[in-house]
PDB file of all heavy atoms in Angstrom:
ATOM      1  N   SER A 301     187.219  -1.280 -18.510  1.00 94.00           N
ATOM      2  CA  SER A 301     186.222  -1.960 -19.377  1.00 94.00           C
ATOM      3  C   SER A 301     184.907  -1.183 -19.481  1.00 94.00           C
ATOM      4  O   SER A 301     184.050  -1.548 -20.284  1.00 94.00           O
ATOM      5  CB  SER A 301     185.965  -3.333 -18.820  1.00 94.00           C
ATOM      6  OG  SER A 301     185.520  -3.290 -17.502  1.00 94.00           O
ATOM      7  N   GLY A 302     184.738  -0.100 -18.699  1.00 92.00           N
ATOM      8  CA  GLY A 302     183.506   0.708 -18.819  1.00 92.00           C
ATOM      9  C   GLY A 302     182.252  -0.064 -18.634  1.00 92.00           C
ATOM     10  O   GLY A 302     182.054  -0.832 -17.701  1.00 92.00           O
ATOM     11  N   ASP A 303     181.379   0.070 -19.646  1.00 93.00           N
ATOM     12  CA  ASP A 303     180.045  -0.614 -19.612  1.00 93.00           C
ATOM     13  C   ASP A 303     180.121  -2.103 -19.907  1.00 93.00           C
ATOM     14  O   ASP A 303     179.110  -2.745 -20.003  1.00 93.00           O
ATOM     15  CB  ASP A 303     179.059   0.111 -20.489  1.00 93.00           C
ATOM     16  CG  ASP A 303     179.525   0.089 -21.959  1.00 93.00           C
ATOM     17  OD1 ASP A 303     180.590  -0.440 -22.269  1.00 93.00           O
ATOM     18  OD2 ASP A 303     178.722   0.638 -22.780  1.00 93.00           O
ATOM     19  N   ARG A 304     181.381  -2.614 -20.071  1.00 95.00           N
ATOM     20  CA  ARG A 304     181.533  -4.051 -20.389  1.00 95.00           C
ATOM     21  C   ARG A 304     181.978  -4.852 -19.131  1.00 95.00           C
ATOM     22  O   ARG A 304     182.405  -5.982 -19.251  1.00 95.00           O
ATOM     23  CB  ARG A 304     182.483  -4.235 -21.559  1.00 95.00           C
ATOM     24  CG  ARG A 304     182.065  -3.442 -22.746  1.00 95.00           C
ATOM     25  CD  ARG A 304     182.836  -3.760 -24.008  1.00 95.00           C
ATOM     26  NE  ARG A 304     182.548  -5.056 -24.496  1.00 95.00           N
ATOM     27  CZ  ARG A 304     183.019  -5.576 -25.631  1.00 95.00           C
ATOM     28  NH1 ARG A 304     183.845  -4.813 -26.424  1.00 95.00           N
ATOM     29  NH2 ARG A 304     182.723  -6.749 -26.056  1.00 95.00           N
ATOM     30  N   LYS A 305     181.915  -4.160 -17.972  1.00 96.00           N
ATOM     31  CA  LYS A 305     182.359  -4.878 -16.763  1.00 96.00           C
ATOM     32  C   LYS A 305     181.582  -6.127 -16.503  1.00 96.00           C
ATOM     33  O   LYS A 305     182.159  -7.184 -16.108  1.00 96.00           O
ATOM     34  CB  LYS A 305     182.242  -3.891 -15.537  1.00 96.00           C
ATOM     35  CG  LYS A 305     183.349  -2.878 -15.479  1.00 96.00           C
ATOM     36  CD  LYS A 305     183.168  -1.971 -14.273  1.00 96.00           C
ATOM     37  CE  LYS A 305     184.371  -1.136 -13.972  1.00 96.00           C
ATOM     38  NZ  LYS A 305     184.902  -0.357 -15.111  1.00 96.00           N
ATOM     39  N   GLU A 306     180.282  -6.122 -16.757  1.00 95.00           N
ATOM     40  CA  GLU A 306     179.463  -7.315 -16.521  1.00 95.00           C
ATOM     41  C   GLU A 306     179.927  -8.475 -17.408  1.00 95.00           C
ATOM     42  O   GLU A 306     179.907  -9.599 -16.965  1.00 95.00           O
ATOM     43  CB  GLU A 306     177.989  -7.014 -16.752  1.00 95.00           C
ATOM     44  CG  GLU A 306     177.071  -8.115 -16.433  1.00 95.00           C
ATOM     45  CD  GLU A 306     175.626  -7.790 -16.655  1.00 95.00           C
ATOM     46  OE1 GLU A 306     175.311  -6.604 -16.923  1.00 95.00           O
ATOM     47  OE2 GLU A 306     174.744  -8.724 -16.600  1.00 95.00           O
ATOM     48  N   GLU A 307     180.200  -8.156 -18.649  1.00 96.00           N
ATOM     49  CA  GLU A 307     180.692  -9.230 -19.574  1.00 96.00           C
ATOM     50  C   GLU A 307     181.992  -9.797 -19.087  1.00 96.00           C
ATOM     51  O   GLU A 307     182.167 -11.030 -19.127  1.00 96.00           O
ATOM     52  CB  GLU A 307     180.871  -8.593 -20.971  1.00 96.00           C
ATOM     53  CG  GLU A 307     181.253  -9.631 -22.025  1.00 96.00           C
ATOM     54  CD  GLU A 307     181.421  -8.990 -23.380  1.00 96.00           C
ATOM     55  OE1 GLU A 307     181.276  -7.770 -23.551  1.00 96.00           O
ATOM     56  OE2 GLU A 307     181.828  -9.740 -24.337  1.00 96.00           O
ATOM     57  N   VAL A 308     182.931  -8.965 -18.592  1.00 97.00           N
ATOM     58  CA  VAL A 308     184.173  -9.451 -18.051  1.00 97.00           C
ATOM     59  C   VAL A 308     183.911 -10.382 -16.811  1.00 97.00           C
ATOM     60  O   VAL A 308     184.493 -11.446 -16.723  1.00 97.00           O
ATOM     61  CB  VAL A 308     185.074  -8.279 -17.672  1.00 97.00           C
ATOM     62  CG1 VAL A 308     186.332  -8.770 -16.929  1.00 97.00           C
ATOM     63  CG2 VAL A 308     185.437  -7.427 -18.854  1.00 97.00           C
ATOM     64  N   LEU A 309     183.026  -9.936 -15.934  1.00 96.00           N
ATOM     65  CA  LEU A 309     182.770 -10.710 -14.754  1.00 96.00           C
ATOM     66  C   LEU A 309     182.085 -12.064 -15.029  1.00 96.00           C
ATOM     67  O   LEU A 309     182.361 -13.059 -14.409  1.00 96.00           O
ATOM     68  CB  LEU A 309     181.959  -9.916 -13.769  1.00 96.00           C
ATOM     69  CG  LEU A 309     182.665  -8.662 -13.181  1.00 96.00           C
ATOM     70  CD1 LEU A 309     181.658  -7.926 -12.269  1.00 96.00           C
ATOM     71  CD2 LEU A 309     183.921  -9.035 -12.375  1.00 96.00           C
ATOM     72  N   LEU A 310     181.229 -12.036 -16.047  1.00 96.00           N
ATOM     73  CA  LEU A 310     180.534 -13.288 -16.413  1.00 96.00           C
ATOM     74  C   LEU A 310     181.563 -14.306 -16.907  1.00 96.00           C
ATOM     75  O   LEU A 310     181.461 -15.501 -16.603  1.00 96.00           O
ATOM     76  CB  LEU A 310     179.476 -13.003 -17.500  1.00 96.00           C
ATOM     77  CG  LEU A 310     178.149 -12.390 -17.041  1.00 96.00           C
ATOM     78  CD1 LEU A 310     177.273 -12.032 -18.228  1.00 96.00           C
ATOM     79  CD2 LEU A 310     177.408 -13.378 -16.130  1.00 96.00           C
ATOM     80  N   LEU A 311     182.512 -13.895 -17.765  1.00 97.00           N
ATOM     81  CA  LEU A 311     183.530 -14.815 -18.242  1.00 97.00           C
ATOM     82  C   LEU A 311     184.391 -15.258 -17.115  1.00 97.00           C
ATOM     83  O   LEU A 311     184.758 -16.478 -17.024  1.00 97.00           O
ATOM     84  CB  LEU A 311     184.367 -14.115 -19.325  1.00 97.00           C
ATOM     85  CG  LEU A 311     185.505 -14.968 -19.953  1.00 97.00           C
ATOM     86  CD1 LEU A 311     185.008 -16.319 -20.435  1.00 97.00           C
ATOM     87  CD2 LEU A 311     186.182 -14.186 -21.062  1.00 97.00           C
ATOM     88  N   ALA A 312     184.750 -14.356 -16.194  1.00 96.00           N
ATOM     89  CA  ALA A 312     185.606 -14.745 -15.044  1.00 96.00           C
ATOM     90  C   ALA A 312     184.915 -15.767 -14.225  1.00 96.00           C
ATOM     91  O   ALA A 312     185.502 -16.802 -13.767  1.00 96.00           O
ATOM     92  CB  ALA A 312     185.940 -13.508 -14.206  1.00 96.00           C
TER      93      ALA A 312
END
Side-chain angles (χ1 to χ4, degrees):
S301 59
D303 60 1
R304 305 189 71 175
K305 283 181 167 54
E306 184 179 351
E307 186 181 356
V308 173
L309 294 178
L310 281 174
L311 178 55

